[in-house]
Amino acid sequence: PKLILKIEKQAVTIGLIGHMSAIALGGVIFNIVKVMYPEGIKDTDVHVLVISSSVTTFPVISGFLAEMNILNSEIGRMAISISMISDLCMWVMYFVVINSAKAVEQQTYKPITEIAVTICYFSILFFFLRPLVIWISNRNPQGKPMTESHFLSIICILLFVGFSASMLGQPPFLVAFCFGLILPDGPPLGSVLAERLDTVGSTFMVPSYCTITGLRTDVPSLVESKTVTIEVILISTYVGKFMGTILPSLHFHIEFWDSFALALIMCCKGL
């Protein structure tokens, strides 16, 4: 959370323009496709698709920059800041704007209740579970490796966070990421979690996710006309993201090739 307050105005402007331009161009192309093919796809599905495609997530960008060894470069720091702004815009728009619009349209308080539950849940993570994990890690003898009992206690808390998120209708991946983001980095807690959980994630979780996604993919449906219209809308959101990133970057006197590279980085979506 402290990193968001330290983001420069340039990154905020580029992030906002890039995010909104992707949504705007995707929405325009969707309306054109809707006129040409009235029975193509549902409005609700496309709205979710446009919003999710316009976001550039912080975990994807940070992982990509780390693999390219440019995380600490000037472009890398700018990309990290922009991705945080894009993530923030997406969740504000998704939780607040869309749920508020649903509440007004359907004349029900259920979407407002979902917003309240989400705020309360993340408040519990920050004000209760975070101090609990820090207290457990501080009970470890100073200067010595973390004991197995302390490490297993923290893992149980992380598993409870994911399970409770699923029970309350929150996205488990996002909740787990946010909980890890608010924990202190460095030894003894951050270094131990990164060392032990990185192996589990890279050797088990990611291959399992790719395999399950591949098995659930309906390959014959990819040749239907509905898929073509979705691809056109997706491409339009990427074009909007690219143009909405490179033009403000040039306006702030960032060199052309650096602006070009930054725009390409912002179009990365990951798995």
Side-chain angles (χ1 to χ4, degrees):
K2 295 181 180 179
L3 294 176
I4 298 178
L5 301 177
K6 298 180 181 179
I7 296 177
E8 297 180 355
K9 293 181 179 180
Q10 291 183 357
V12 174
T13 304
I14 296 173
L16 289 175
I17 294 177
H19 185 79
M20 299 309 298
S21 60
I23 293 178
L25 186 58
V28 170
I29 298 300
F30 165 64
N31 290 327
I32 296 174
V33 172
K34 185 179 179 181
V35 172
M36 297 175 62
Y37 303 98
E39 299 180 355
I41 41 184
K42 297 180 180 179
D43 292 3
T44 306
D45 296 339
V46 176
H47 292 159
V48 174
L49 177 67
V50 170
I51 293 177
S52 60
S53 300
S54 63
V55 68
T56 303
T57 58
F58 175 80
V60 171
I61 297 301
S62 60
F64 173 76
L65 295 176
E67 290 182 1
M68 298 296 293
N69 293 323
I70 57 175
L71 185 61
N72 294 321
S73 64
E74 184 178 354
I75 294 297
R77 291 192 295 269
M78 178 69 74
I80 285 292
S81 300
I82 295 174
S83 65
M84 295 178 68
I85 294 298
S86 181
D87 251 342
L88 184 62
C89 289
M90 194 276 286
W91 287 111
V92 169
M93 179 171 294
Y94 183 81
F95 281 114
V96 178
V97 178
I98 293 183
N99 284 329
S100 299
K102 287 181 179 179
V104 174
E105 180 181 357
Q106 301 174 2
Q107 295 183 353
T108 177
Y109 292 100
K110 183 177 180 181
I112 304 299
T113 305
E114 294 178 359
I115 296 176
V117 170
T118 301
I119 295 175
C120 293
Y121 184 79
F122 280 95
S123 299
I124 292 174
L125 288 184
F126 187 81
F127 293 108
F128 177 70
L129 292 181
R130 178 179 183 270
L132 178 60
V133 172
I134 295 175
W135 178 76
I136 293 175
S137 65
N138 290 337
R139 288 178 61 86
N140 192 73
Q142 189 174 5
K144 295 184 179 180
M146 182 176 290
T147 61
E148 291 296 329
S149 59
H150 291 164
F151 177 75
L152 290 177
S153 300
I154 295 175
I155 292 299
C156 289
I157 294 176
L158 296 178
L159 293 175
F160 171 76
V161 168
F163 177 76
S164 60
S166 300
M167 295 296 294
L168 294 175
Q170 307 299 323
F173 292 106
L174 174 69
V175 171
F177 169 73
C178 292
F179 186 60
L181 192 64
I182 62 178
L183 292 178
D185 56 351
L189 181 59
S191 57
V192 172
L193 290 178
E195 178 183 356
R196 299 193 181 187
L197 296 182
D198 181 66
T199 304
V200 177
S202 59
T203 61
F204 177 72
M205 300 300 294
V206 174
S208 300
Y209 177 79
C210 295
T211 302
I212 294 173
T213 303
L215 293 174
R216 295 175 59 185
T217 302
D218 186 6
V219 178
S221 65
L222 299 179
V223 298
E224 297 178 358
S225 59
K226 176 181 177 181
T227 305
V228 176
T229 58
I230 292 177
E231 292 297 332
V232 171
I233 296 172
L234 283 176
I235 292 174
S236 66
T237 58
Y238 282 108
V239 173
K241 171 71 73 173
F242 183 87
M243 298 304 297
T245 302
I246 191 172
L247 294 179
S249 300
L250 294 174
H251 173 74
F252 288 116
H253 306 291
I254 300 176
E255 295 183 3
F256 174 78
W257 289 114
D258 290 341
S259 302
F260 186 82
L262 184 62
L264 289 179
I265 292 173
M266 288 299 102
C267 291
C268 294
K269 294 296 294 183
L271 295 176

